């Protein structure tokens, strides 16, 4: 479970009673899509005929452009997570990353789910003995792509939720 027991109102959209603007919500969605897309090949290399994770990433991008409804985007996320369930290792985590990215349309806090699963995918794909190096490299790659408008919020959220996100955000 990557969602906290007590939600941070800064990560709840304004129209749901929180403080997160629509622009910042879209920034989180964009970052999540980038994190998931960065590891998508780890899924597609194992399951080349299954397009559900790619469709989830395309769905969140369409939602950001106003071309897809939130519920449809969330459903694509669920389908991607369905693609993950029978798998193991890097492919499984990459499909979960895509599913979590699509679910950012519904709950912005899924951004860390996309990022955390992407890190888990890279770590699972790493050669034995290089897992920690791979984790740190992926974490830095993700942080380098954080939009300025949400950067501090995400970095603080990573610290706050690191433990429930398998400690993948440790510096």
């Amino acid at each position: 479970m990557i969602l906290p027991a007590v939600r941070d109102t800064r990560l709840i959209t304004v129209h749901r009673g929180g403080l997160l603007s629509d622009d910042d919500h879209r920034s989180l969605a964009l970052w999540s899509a980038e994190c998931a897309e960065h590891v998508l090949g780890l899924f597609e290399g194992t399951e080349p005929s299954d397009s559900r994770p790619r469709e989830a990433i395309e769905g969140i991008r369409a939602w950001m452009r106003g071309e897809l409804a939130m519920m449809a985007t969330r459903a694509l996320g669920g389908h991607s997570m369905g693609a993950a369930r029978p798998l193991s290792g890097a492919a499984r985590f990459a499909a979960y990353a895509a599913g979590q990215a699509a679910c950012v349309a519904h709950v912005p806090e899924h951004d860390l789910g996309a990022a955390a699963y992407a890190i888990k995918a890279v770590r699972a794909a790493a050669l034995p003995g290089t897992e920690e190096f791979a984790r740190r490299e992926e974490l830095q790659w993700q942080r380098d792509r954080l939009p300025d408008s949400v950067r501090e919020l995400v970095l603080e959220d990573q610290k706050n939720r690191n433990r429930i996100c398998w400690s993948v955000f440790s510096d």
Side-chain angles (χ1 to χ4, degrees):
M1 182 63 165
I2 54 93
L3 296 177
V6 177
R7 306 231 1 238
D8 184 339
T9 57
R10 297 172 303 161
L11 287 161
I12 299 171
T13 55
V14 170
H15 67 273
R16 289 193 175 179
L19 301 172
L20 188 69
S21 72
D22 288 342
D23 285 344
D24 286 347
H25 189 183
R26 283 188 292 276
S27 291
L28 291 173
L30 172 64
W31 180 67
S32 299
E34 289 175 349
C35 290
E37 195 167 49
H38 192 235
V39 299
L40 184 59
L42 297 172
F43 174 84
E44 291 179 333
T46 301
E47 300 291 326
S49 63
D50 191 340
S51 62
R52 291 177 288 179
R54 181 168 294 280
E55 290 167 1
I57 294 168
E58 290 169 359
I60 192 63
R61 291 183 187 279
W63 173 81
M64 290 166 29
R65 294 187 302 267
E67 298 169 0
L68 195 61
M70 180 274 292
M71 290 299 285
T73 307
R74 187 177 89 172
L76 290 170
H79 296 311
S80 182
M81 289 186 259
R85 286 185 191 100
L87 303 175
S88 63
R92 179 184 179 118
F93 299 139
Y96 275 134
Q100 290 286 311
C103 289
V104 170
H106 179 244
V107 176
E109 289 162 306
H110 283 291
D111 68 324
L112 289 195
Y117 276 115
I119 291 169
K120 285 176 64 100
V122 167
R123 191 169 57 192
L127 295 172
T130 67
E131 298 91 349
E132 179 59 16
F133 176 78
R135 182 194 69 80
R136 286 182 176 275
E137 287 290 307
E138 183 64 17
L139 177 61
Q140 190 59 54
W141 183 93
Q142 292 176 1
R143 288 179 174 173
D144 287 346
R145 280 145 189 85
L146 272 169
D148 288 340
S149 65
V150 295
R151 181 177 190 73
E152 291 306 315
L153 176 61
V154 171
L155 293 177
E156 184 179 333
D157 196 32
Q158 286 180 343
K159 288 177 186 170
N160 293 339
R161 289 199 281 156
N162 189 43
R163 190 174 46 78
I164 63 173
C165 290
W166 312 285
S167 299
V168 299
F169 299 121
S170 298
D171 289 322

